[in-house]
Amino acid sequence: MSNRETTADPSLDTSPSSATATQADDAQGAVLTDQRILVLDFGSQYAQLIARRVREQHVYCQIVRHDITAERIAELAPRGVILSGGPNSVYEEGAPQIDPAIFDLNIPVLGICYGMQVACQALGGKVDNTPSREFGRAMCEFLDHDSIFRGMKDSEQVWMSHGDQVSQIADDFTVMARTSTCPYAAIRHNTRPVYAMQFHPEVTHTPHGGQILHNFVREVCGCDGTWRLGDFADAAVEQIRKQVGDKRVICGLSGGVDSSVVAALLYKAIGSQLSCILVDNGMLRKNEQKIVIEEFSNHFKTDLHVVDAEDQFLSDLAGVEEPQEKRRRIGYAFIECFKSEATKIDDAHFLAQGTLYPDVIESGADKDGPAATIKLHHNVGGLPEELGFELIEPLRDLFKDEVRRLGLELGLPEQLVWRHPFPGPGLAVRCLGEVTREKLVVLREADAIVVEEIENAGLYRETSQAFAVLLPVQSVGVMGDARTYDNAVAVRCVNTDDFMTADWSHLPYDLLARISTRIINEVKGVNRVCYDISSKPPATIEWE
């Protein structure tokens, strides 16, 4: 995306210590394929989506900072480089630029939107603001069906999102595609392996964008498409065994997909050397502790510790309303509880966490990755050195859907693997404003009704995430002959393939009616239910 793309405002720095980062990077390098594509992130909300689409071609893809040097890229030795979109204008002072020496590495480069503009500017072209802006679907005429556009029809729908565009190309470039208002919709360099397009092939609104990325990654870059999760699991198990030796590993278990897959991977690698700790912070879903214990006992025969810490967490959150401060306090309280319980486990030397690749990118915890912090992740950079553990993050290279597939590879049951995501801070970030025990009781019951009704309707697997949010407002209502002034609950349900973009779920009206009726009738203190019909972007999936 280019020219005033909406992005989150960075506010926190949660980078881990250099020692932790180095350990993670070393572990990462040991389990990756020798074929990779790099995405240089110029601030696009679609950068992670580009990486996901590349991985769909069974090629490993890594997101790096836009100002990475050509020397560092040469060290990483990627098969290809993709330049993402971004919200800036390339001609503005302070706009993100690229190391022009990258184009001298003889590594194939694909520029997308802002990435096209920055590449053209570096190679002798010109970029201007234009009144012929394109935001949304457009029909694109393809003039060249070789290389990246092999298999495309003469005219196809693409997704545009730009206010600037290339107004002049250098003589070394050839036009490959155009629209009625964008004469340089796609171009290629005549002597260098440099390609660029103004539209976004990574989004679903470009129906055959996957074919374009396939052509670039597999044909132009020469990747074999041999990156498989089964191979990843085998390599990760071997790396864990090598790193751990005969020491004990502690894993924080929450019952969610990520921690369950981490536990399964560790159990496959080291068996009885694994101890798990479940910290019940009082902000879990209804019957969560019971469910976790049962699932854990059915699939793992190892050491489980349960810490009941509801009082401590609620005390630490008393009077706090700001979302990031909630996350920060919950993170600190979790560490204290975890540390206290961990001291009871003999020979504990390693700590395993369910950190995923989006967590690493959004928290700025990758030494080569983008530095901006989108939000504070409770399991990235939150490990104080005084704990004395070495960190193991075996999933830090994977996206959520890849983690699910890995869970199935490891033999976890589908009902566990396909469980909807749940935020690390729990219901605290769905209880807007101050978190209290009374509010959590209301929210927990409403949330359980939402999930139960969606399951009963047979739509749980067809939706990606569904939950209730307790709003910090009250409204007038009438129950029986009495006037009420009670809480409002928002229901949030989204569909997404990757959790980086999402659309609200078009649930049947009768299902929404049942959810509303049950919540109002069964949950004391609620007299109004609203349905959130916001997409991501501009909204996020969670409310805080």
Side-chain angles (χ1 to χ4, degrees):
M1 198 171 274
S2 175
N3 190 257
R4 290 157 186 82
E5 173 187 288
T6 302
T7 54
D9 181 30
S11 59
L12 292 169
D13 181 10
T14 58
S15 300
S17 67
S18 58
T20 301
T22 300
Q23 292 162 4
D25 290 330
D26 290 345
Q28 180 187 54
V31 297
L32 299 184
T33 176
D34 59 353
Q35 297 184 3
R36 76 176 80 188
I37 300 293
L38 298 183
V39 175
L40 273 60
D41 184 6
F42 288 89
S44 173
Q45 61 183 320
Y46 293 151
Q48 293 184 28
L49 187 55
I50 296 171
R52 277 286 301 105
R53 295 294 179 253
V54 171
R55 291 189 186 191
E56 287 174 0
Q57 306 300 326
H58 301 294
V59 175
Y60 182 74
C61 189
Q62 179 181 354
I63 300 173
V64 297
R65 56 192 308 126
H66 72 271
D67 57 356
I68 189 171
T69 65
E71 181 181 14
R72 177 58 179 159
I73 287 182
E75 290 175 0
L76 293 171
R79 290 294 184 95
V81 172
I82 298 177
L83 314 180
S84 83
N88 301 96
S89 294
V90 295
Y91 48 78
E92 292 177 343
E93 184 178 355
Q97 300 297 326
I98 191 173
D99 182 351
I102 289 173
F103 300 108
D104 297 325
L105 295 175
N106 200 34
I107 295 173
V109 176
L110 173 62
I112 297 175
C113 205
Y114 185 94
M116 173 187 189
Q117 296 164 15
V118 78
C120 284
Q121 182 174 263
L123 295 172
K126 186 178 180 182
V127 179
D128 286 311
N129 186 263
T130 171
S132 301
R133 300 183 175 200
E134 291 181 300
F135 294 96
R137 294 174 176 85
M139 292 306 298
C140 185
E141 180 185 1
F142 292 93
L143 309 174
D144 186 334
H145 292 79
D146 289 334
S147 60
I148 61 172
F149 293 143
R150 183 174 291 112
M152 301 294 286
K153 297 178 182 177
D154 290 342
S155 180
E156 299 223 15
Q157 175 186 297
V158 298
W159 182 262
M160 292 283 193
S161 184
H162 65 98
D164 296 339
Q165 65 184 35
V166 175
S167 59
Q168 181 179 327
I169 58 174
D171 293 339
D172 292 329
F173 281 93
T174 296
V175 179
M176 301 184 73
R178 65 192 176 196
T179 72
S180 60
T181 59
C182 183
Y184 306 122
I187 59 176
R188 63 174 172 82
H189 199 278
N190 295 330
T191 59
R192 306 184 192 207
V194 177
Y195 303 81
M197 58 192 66
Q198 188 60 67
F199 58 88
H200 290 267
E202 72 273 21
V203 302
T204 57
H205 304 305
T206 300
H208 295 107
Q211 179 64 41
I212 296 172
L213 291 174
H214 169 89
N215 290 339
F216 177 73
V217 170
R218 303 288 292 275
E219 304 298 331
V220 175
C221 298
C223 294
D224 297 331
T226 55
W227 193 69
R228 297 289 191 277
L229 284 175
D231 296 335
F232 175 91
D234 292 341
V237 165
E238 185 62 31
Q239 169 63 23
I240 290 169
R241 288 172 178 166
K242 181 179 179 181
Q243 184 179 0
V244 170
D246 60 356
K247 301 291 194 305
R248 179 162 292 275
V249 178
I250 298 177
C251 177
L253 195 68
S254 68
V257 177
D258 305 338
S259 65
S260 297
V261 173
V262 169
L265 194 59
L266 287 166
Y267 189 71
K268 181 178 180 179
I270 59 173
S272 61
Q273 292 170 243
L274 172 66
S275 292
C276 291
I277 298 177
L278 168 63
V279 177
D280 187 345
N281 59 10
M283 283 155 275
L284 302 179
R285 288 170 284 199
K286 188 175 182 179
N287 297 325
E288 185 86 1
Q289 184 184 126
K290 178 183 177 182
I291 292 171
V292 171
I293 293 173
E294 289 178 352
E295 289 179 343
F296 185 89
S297 301
N298 289 336
H299 300 290
F300 309 103
K301 305 299 181 184
T302 189
D303 190 33
L304 174 63
H305 300 245
V306 179
V307 182
D308 188 354
E310 180 179 17
D311 291 341
Q312 178 179 341
F313 278 83
L314 288 175
S315 175
D316 290 346
L317 289 172
V320 178
E321 297 184 0
E322 203 278 321
Q324 294 288 48
E325 183 61 21
K326 285 184 189 178
R327 286 178 176 269
R328 197 190 312 274
R329 294 197 181 199
I330 289 171
Y332 288 148
F334 175 84
I335 288 170
E336 289 304 312
C337 291
F338 201 94
K339 178 180 178 181
S340 176
E341 190 65 26
T343 59
K344 304 174 185 178
I345 300 174
D346 294 334
D347 198 30
H349 190 77
F350 295 92
L351 173 64
Q353 293 187 150
T355 307
L356 305 190
Y357 195 47
D359 302 338
V360 174
I361 294 301
E362 293 179 1
S363 65
D366 189 333
K367 69 178 181 180
D368 290 315
T373 302
I374 305 303
K375 61 183 176 179
L376 175 61
H377 288 279
H378 71 287
N379 57 348
V380 179
L383 180 68
E385 292 184 1
E386 62 265 23
L387 274 181
F389 293 131
E390 288 187 42
L391 193 60
I392 298 177
E393 296 176 308
L395 308 182
R396 67 180 274 122
D397 299 311
L398 303 183
F399 289 100
K400 174 68 78 171
D401 62 314
E402 294 171 326
V403 172
R404 293 189 193 281
R405 297 204 308 272
L406 179 59
L408 294 175
E409 290 261 359
L410 293 170
L412 291 175
E414 287 200 6
Q415 64 268 25
L416 175 59
V417 169
W418 288 103
R419 200 172 188 197
H420 284 185
F422 189 60
L427 296 178
V429 294
R430 295 175 180 173
C431 181
L432 275 57
E434 182 183 6
V435 179
T436 66
R437 198 183 309 269
E438 294 72 23
K439 288 182 179 180
L440 288 172
V441 170
V442 172
L443 177 56
R444 189 174 287 113
E445 292 300 321
D447 184 75
I449 290 172
V450 171
V451 174
E452 181 180 329
E453 286 298 331
I454 289 176
E455 287 178 335
N456 291 342
L459 296 176
Y460 189 78
R461 281 285 299 273
E462 294 183 27
T463 56
S464 304
Q465 194 166 357
F467 54 90
V469 180
L470 184 62
L471 305 182
V473 295
Q474 288 76 44
S475 64
V476 174
V478 177
M479 291 187 175
D481 294 323
R483 176 184 181 277
T484 62
Y485 193 68
D486 281 331
N487 297 298
V489 165
V491 175
R492 180 70 159 147
C493 187
V494 299
N495 290 356
T496 176
D497 293 326
D498 45 51
F499 293 90
M500 290 168 282
T501 61
D503 194 13
W504 59 277
S505 303
H506 294 234
L507 297 180
Y509 288 159
D510 59 345
L511 172 57
L512 292 173
R514 286 197 301 274
I515 290 173
S516 176
T517 299
R518 282 196 60 192
I519 290 176
I520 292 173
N521 287 346
E522 298 177 25
V523 182
K524 186 177 180 180
V526 177
N527 67 356
R528 191 176 300 271
V529 174
C530 311
Y531 190 52
D532 183 346
I533 58 171
S534 308
S535 297
K536 175 187 180 182
T540 55
I541 295 176
E542 297 288 347
W543 277 50
E544 285 190 342

